[in-house]
Amino acid sequence: MRFDIITIFPKMFAPVLNESMVKRAQEKKKVKIYVHDLRDHTKDKHRKVDDRPFGGGPGMVMTVQPMVDAIKKVKGRRKVRVLLLSPTGKPLTQQKVKKLAKCKNLILVCGHYEGIDERVVSESIDESISIGDYVLTGGEIPAMVLVDCITRLVPGVLGTAKSLDEESFEQGMSEYPHYTRPADFRGKKVPNVLLSGNHFAIKKWRKEQALNRTKKYRPDLLKKNKE
Ligand code: 4GX
């Protein structure tokens, strides 16, 4: 899997993507991540990437030329899917992550300000993706979210691959509560069933716990699973 990220803040990425599992995935050559500075594709001496919106209104809009040239250059002759991170994009779900993980090459375009000129979207973007219904200052954090959740699905990245069954269980239900040593932390005890060695009882308890949590915090997920 190869990711190419187009951004006006290239330095934001290294501290996040060069740690933890994404770092190991790169070391193991399972994923490649290239970060490109949009300003390197401008043609004026001020390296300008934005302008005032036609029709008036607040804020600035990212201009067409640097964006389309950057995407074209980064693409080269490869078969690539070009994604724009945008609050009005298609909501990111685990199902969507799984589909994207099947792509070999992804270009992630990070917008700023009020957004980007619509001609970039119609010319050069295959799909817009939103990571949730809230407004960020730019597409960089959403791009990191995408790299992170796609990378963990690349074969050979996760140490112990979870079965598809477990994955679907995990999505449909919030997880059960986890405990590790000590069994008694300053008087706060681990539920007895987990120390019982009765695997059938443990499984049943975890299922109940997960279901109760889902009912309380994510009733929408229970509805979705019935559909
Ligand atoms: N999930 N933002 C992008 C600028 C922008 C606006 C429109 C392109 C089109 C967001 C989200 C998000 C804020 C990133 C606005 N770029 N992106 N930015 N939520 O809120 O993905």
Side-chain angles (χ1 to χ4, degrees):
M1 168 70 74
R2 170 173 168 177
F3 298 96
D4 287 87
I5 299 164
I6 298 172
T7 172
I8 55 171
F9 293 113
K11 289 190 301 221
M12 278 180 76
F13 291 87
V16 175
L17 300 180
N18 294 340
E19 290 287 356
S20 183
M21 210 152 88
V22 181
K23 172 189 179 178
R24 271 195 289 130
Q26 291 179 86
E27 287 168 353
K28 288 202 244 170
K29 306 265 191 276
K30 303 291 179 191
V31 305
K32 284 189 174 142
I33 305 169
Y34 300 95
V35 182
H36 309 270
D37 189 341
L38 179 67
R39 290 190 201 278
D40 292 344
H41 300 269
T42 54
K43 293 187 181 297
D44 67 307
K45 70 168 184 228
H46 301 292
R47 297 174 35 104
K48 201 169 149 63
V49 293
D50 63 332
D51 209 334
R52 297 185 341 257
F54 277 127
M60 298 291 267
V61 175
M62 296 185 92
T63 53
V64 187
Q65 177 271 316
M67 278 285 190
V68 298
D69 286 354
I71 294 168
K72 192 173 175 191
K73 185 86 179 281
V74 169
K75 224 176 181 174
R77 299 162 185 281
R78 295 177 300 136
K79 191 171 178 281
V80 190
R81 192 153 181 82
V82 184
L83 307 180
L84 173 68
L85 290 311
S86 160
T88 57
K90 201 168 175 205
L92 185 66
T93 59
Q94 190 61 24
Q95 190 188 329
K96 185 79 206 166
V97 175
K98 278 183 191 167
K99 281 187 189 155
L100 292 172
K102 294 197 167 90
C103 299
K104 257 194 83 182
N105 298 297
L106 291 174
I107 295 180
L108 310 180
V109 178
C110 306
H112 267 263
Y113 320 112
E114 300 311 307
I116 66 179
D117 190 300
E118 192 58 28
R119 290 166 292 184
V120 178
V121 182
S122 53
E123 284 256 319
S124 311
I125 301 293
D126 294 313
E127 187 173 21
S128 295
I129 303 275
S130 166
I131 65 157
D133 293 339
Y134 37 79
V135 182
L136 296 155
T137 60
E140 282 75 14
I141 292 171
M144 292 180 215
V145 168
L146 265 187
V147 170
D148 189 284
C149 57
I150 293 171
T151 295
R152 67 181 283 284
L153 295 188
V154 172
V157 170
L158 269 185
T160 51
K162 276 192 180 170
S163 73
L164 281 177
D165 269 8
E166 274 174 277
E167 278 263 327
S168 70
F169 178 76
E170 190 181 293
Q171 270 177 74
M173 315 255 199
S174 319
E175 274 202 351
Y176 56 77
H178 301 284
Y179 293 89
T180 185
R181 288 188 293 179
D184 183 333
F185 178 70
R186 298 175 190 168
K188 301 254 181 228
K189 295 196 172 71
V190 171
N192 268 329
V193 61
L194 297 179
L195 312 175
S196 68
N198 182 342
H199 295 290
F200 181 80
I202 292 170
K203 206 169 173 177
K204 181 166 167 279
W205 180 85
R206 284 179 167 166
K207 214 167 193 164
E208 283 164 6
Q209 291 290 316
L211 186 61
N212 286 341
R213 289 182 163 200
T214 309
K215 274 183 189 153
K216 188 162 180 206
Y217 299 111
R218 296 299 309 273
D220 57 302
L221 291 179
L222 292 175
K223 257 190 227 142
K224 208 189 257 171
N225 271 6
K226 273 187 216 148
E227 274 166 18

